[in-house]
Amino acid sequence: MPHTPDPDTQPEFYDGIPTKRLLAWVVDMIVIIAMCLMILPFTAFTGIFFFPFLMLVIGFIYRVITITTGSATWGMRLMGMELRDLRDQPFDFGTALFHTLGYSFSWAVAPLQLISVVLMCVSARKQGLSDMVLGSVAVNRRRGV
């Protein structure tokens, strides 16, 4: 039984989450692209030839570090949301790592990402596939946190 906020009795935690997740993703992609562009000169610009792989690696590291340190990426923080585990606790390193692995895998298998997006829009807790597997949720950040 999850200890995360109940969508029936506390719907305010899930209000607008799908839209906020999309906007947070856009912000995060801009940050990751900017980081990769800053790294490019240090690869003697050979990084141009493997730029998608560079984005994958930098994006993975960015997500794990930001989620571990604040239970949200910078985009999520900007949108006023956070990730919580099934005990309603902030993510630790292991949870952030597994969540990011699930996110990366769902992007690698496109139908899974499509299913994940649909689930974020229609499920009561607005969970994607990685969230459902881990029992985690994306919620509006609590006031004063």
Side-chain angles (χ1 to χ4, degrees), residues 17 26 75 81:
I17 288 296
V26 170
M81 56 184 285

Side-chain angles (χ1 to χ4, degrees), residues 30-52:
I30 292 169
V31 169
I32 292 165
I33 290 168
M35 288 177 173
C36 289
L37 291 174
M38 289 189 300
I39 291 169
L40 210 50
F42 297 101
T43 69
F45 293 96
T46 59
I48 292 171
F49 299 109
F50 56 89
F51 199 76

Side-chain angles (χ1 to χ4, degrees), residues 52-83:
F53 179 74
L54 183 63
M55 281 193 55
L56 176 73
V57 170
I58 297 302
F60 191 91
I61 294 167
Y62 163 81
R63 289 185 62 78
V64 171
I65 289 172
T66 57
I67 292 171
T68 298
T69 58
S71 208
T73 63
W74 292 344
M76 291 176 192
R77 293 174 201 184
L78 184 65
M79 295 301 131
M81 56 184 285
E82 63 185 348
L83 295 167

Side-chain angles (χ1 to χ4, degrees), residues 114-144:
L114 181 59
I115 292 166
S116 193
V117 169
V118 169
L119 287 171
M120 286 178 210
C121 293
V122 301
S123 65
R125 294 182 189 271
K126 310 303 181 198
Q127 295 170 293
L129 283 176
S130 296
D131 297 315
M132 289 186 168
V133 169
L134 294 173
S136 60
V137 292
V139 294
N140 289 311
R141 193 170 37 231
R142 290 154 170 86
R143 301 215 191 288

Side-chain angles (χ1 to χ4, degrees), residues 91-107:
F91 277 21
D92 58 14
F93 173 76
T95 310
L97 179 66
F98 284 116
H99 194 272
T100 303
L101 279 169
Y103 166 81
S104 300
F105 183 73
S106 68
W107 271 106

